[in-house]
């Protein structure tokens, strides 16, 4: 039990004390990420005042348009994590693994991140977020390569996100529940505002981009059409729908009041040779870890996301996560 108002720094140090022999390196990685998120929170709140909105005129490795802020926030993350506490970094916005310059002593942790998820929302002033995941570099590896990042989500030692909304909120798990820290801009600290957050097992709210409905697989068609039938249908209750197009905002809502978030596989992606929309290492695994730690469930609609063996740094997967009973139902429909 921590006191509400505990700083994220105090929290990280107290958690470190519980691990005999901890060197402080892991705590330093978390502090580096927190610093980057504070800087990104400042940048997102200034927006047009500092000319950071709009397209950068480039594409990332997956052929997606990069926003100016995708590039700026990626640089902020790299800068903050280049202090010698991490071993190597991988980002949605970089083609290859980023190894720290040779003059910096390497740490033992691999960090993956999406520096600004939902970045298309920046231009319309809607919530965006940073997502991150931390794993251990394999024993004895000094120059990590992409192969060293191919670890299932169950190997994550920490994951989190920072939501830049009306307030900036850091949500963190180190495998011992989920805690939320709100940025107090007056003192420049993330302060604990919600401890051991749990997602209600039942919900009446779903989030899916319905414009893709005609491409979904039949079990997904069935699930959503049953929700839409409301009290008159087999579910016997009315559902509400939300779609922010910002996964961080959707998952934050689900952690706050329950719900299910779905970005499914569909025939359009299949025809284009894609295996899903969201990225396993930067989005699905960290969010899956957080959701599971909050008592929820995270699957591909067929199997547990965290048990997937990654095969590619930028691998995409279908995602179904949130309130346990609802995710179980959807997953059951797909495996029937
Ligand atoms: P991004 O990492 O390029 O921002 O893409 C991920 C985002 C998610 O945050 C969101 O759930 C999804 O893309 C929205 O997709 P769509 O525009 O197809 O609704
Ligand atoms: Mg993203």
């Amino acid at each position: 039990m921590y006191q509400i108002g505990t700083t994220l720094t105090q929290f990280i140090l107290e958690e470190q004390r519980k691990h005999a022999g901890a060197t402080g390196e892991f705590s330093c990685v978390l502090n580096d990420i927190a610093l980057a998120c504070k800087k990104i929170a400042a940048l997102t709140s200034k927006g047009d005042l500092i000319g950071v909105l709009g397209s950068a005129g480039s594409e990332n490795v997956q052929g997606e348009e990069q926003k100016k802020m995708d590039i700026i926030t990626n640089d902020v993350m790299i800068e903050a994590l280049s202090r010698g506490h991490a071993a190597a970094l991988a980002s949605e916005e970089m083609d290859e693994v980023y190894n720290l310059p040779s003059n910096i002593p390497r740490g033992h942790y691999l960090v993956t991140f999406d520096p600004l998820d939902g970045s298309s929302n920046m231009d319309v002033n809607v919530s965006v977020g940073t997502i991150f995941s931390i794993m251990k570099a394999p024993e004895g590896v000094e120059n990590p390569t992409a192969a060293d990042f191919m670890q299932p989500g169950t190997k994550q030692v920490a994951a989190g996100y920072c939501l830049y909304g009306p307030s900036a909120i850091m949500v963190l798990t180190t495998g011992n529940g989920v805690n939320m820290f709100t940025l107090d801009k007056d003192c420049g600290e993330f302060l604990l505002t919600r401890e051991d957050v749990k997602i209600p097992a039942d919900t009446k709210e779903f989030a899916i981009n319905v414009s893709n409905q005609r491409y979904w697989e039949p079990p997904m068609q069935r699930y959503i059409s049953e929700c839409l039938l409301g009290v008159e249908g087999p579910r016997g209750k009315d559902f509400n729908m939300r779609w922010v197009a910002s996964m961080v905002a959707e998952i934050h809502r689900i952690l706050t009041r329950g719900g299910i978030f779905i970005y499914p596989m569909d025939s359009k992606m299949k025809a284009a040779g894609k295996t899903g929309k969201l990225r396993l290492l930067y989005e699905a695994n960290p969010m899956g870890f957080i959701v599971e730690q909050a008592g929820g469930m995270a699957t591909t609609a067929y199997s547990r996301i965290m048990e997937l063996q990654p095969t590619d740094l930028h691998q995409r997967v279908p995602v179904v996560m949130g309130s346990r009973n609802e995710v179980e139902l959807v997953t059951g429909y797909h495996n029937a």
Side-chain angles (χ1 to χ4, degrees):
M1 287 289 283
Y2 285 91
Q3 222 179 334
I4 294 300
T6 299
T7 67
L8 177 61
T9 314
Q10 286 165 340
F11 176 88
I12 292 169
L13 289 175
E14 290 301 326
E15 289 295 298
Q16 183 188 314
R17 276 201 201 151
K18 293 179 187 166
H19 299 273
T23 60
E25 198 177 88
F26 175 64
S27 301
C28 287
V29 173
L30 286 176
N31 271 318
D32 293 344
I33 293 171
L35 173 65
C37 291
K38 285 181 201 174
K39 290 185 174 179
I40 296 172
L43 288 166
T44 54
S45 68
K46 289 195 181 105
D48 237 356
L49 292 174
I50 52 170
V52 293
L53 303 188
S55 171
S58 54
E59 286 186 349
N60 65 14
V61 65
Q62 297 141 85
E64 295 164 334
E65 180 208 20
Q66 282 181 310
K67 296 283 181 188
K68 283 184 197 160
M69 276 296 272
D70 285 322
I71 295 171
I72 295 169
T73 55
N74 194 58
D75 288 346
V76 170
M77 289 293 283
I78 291 175
E79 209 256 320
L81 282 160
S82 292
R83 289 160 208 273
H85 310 124
L89 318 175
S91 161
E92 187 177 306
E93 302 302 334
M94 295 190 286
D95 301 7
E96 312 281 350
V97 166
Y98 180 90
N99 282 110
L100 302 190
S102 52
N103 60 331
I104 295 172
R106 300 243 169 102
H108 298 89
Y109 291 95
L110 304 178
V111 185
T112 73
F113 53 87
D114 180 353
L116 201 66
D117 183 61
S119 55
S120 64
N121 278 324
M122 268 302 292
D123 295 350
V124 290
N125 204 24
V126 170
S127 299
V128 286
T130 299
I131 310 173
F132 61 90
S133 161
I134 306 175
M135 299 173 272
K136 276 198 176 136
E139 204 63 45
V141 170
E142 288 193 1
N143 289 303
T145 63
D148 299 312
F149 282 82
M150 299 301 112
Q151 303 183 31
T154 49
K155 297 273 187 190
Q156 293 172 101
V157 292
Y161 64 78
C162 187
L163 170 67
Y164 312 107
S167 49
I169 302 181
M170 172 76 82
V171 175
L172 179 68
T173 185
T174 54
N176 191 22
V178 178
N179 295 293
M180 294 186 179
F181 301 82
T182 305
L183 182 60
D184 183 338
K185 287 183 181 163
D186 293 338
C187 64
E189 291 276 6
F190 284 105
L191 304 180
L192 182 69
T193 39
R194 287 193 63 197
E195 195 180 21
D196 200 18
V197 176
K198 293 294 175 208
I199 299 172
D202 290 303
T203 183
K204 290 172 158 188
E205 198 161 66
F206 65 86
I208 190 167
N209 185 342
V210 177
S211 70
N212 296 319
Q213 185 252 338
R214 66 194 183 283
Y215 304 117
W216 299 339
E217 294 173 344
M220 195 57 78
Q221 301 270 5
R222 174 186 173 192
Y223 171 70
I224 296 296
S225 59
E226 287 181 358
C227 291
L228 293 174
L229 286 169
V231 279
E232 285 120 53
R235 301 302 308 278
K237 59 182 181 181
D238 286 335
F239 278 77
N240 189 22
M241 195 201 84
R242 287 286 183 273
W243 189 250
V244 189
S246 185
M247 188 190 195
V248 179
E250 319 273 10
I251 298 302
H252 194 73
R253 184 186 60 251
I254 288 169
L255 284 167
T256 306
R257 67 181 189 203
I260 182 168
F261 169 80
I262 307 175
Y263 213 118
M265 186 54 192
D266 66 35
S267 58
K268 194 177 165 194
M269 290 178 194
K270 212 172 189 174
K274 290 186 180 164
T275 52
K277 159 88 181 180
L278 299 172
R279 271 65 39 143
L280 178 58
L281 294 182
Y282 317 115
E283 294 160 333
N285 267 343
M287 289 307 202
F289 191 17
I290 293 167
V291 165
E292 286 195 8
Q293 283 293 314
M297 195 170 164
T299 75
T300 61
Y302 292 95
S303 61
R304 188 181 174 210
I305 288 172
M306 295 245 285
E307 286 175 13
L308 295 176
Q309 173 58 52
T311 53
D312 184 83
L313 215 49
H314 299 289
Q315 184 173 345
R316 295 171 187 261
V317 289
V319 165
V320 179
M321 58 174 72
S323 291
R324 168 164 288 277
N325 292 338
E326 217 59 26
V327 178
E328 250 171 21
L329 183 70
V330 182
T331 308
Y333 281 5
H334 284 76
N335 288 317

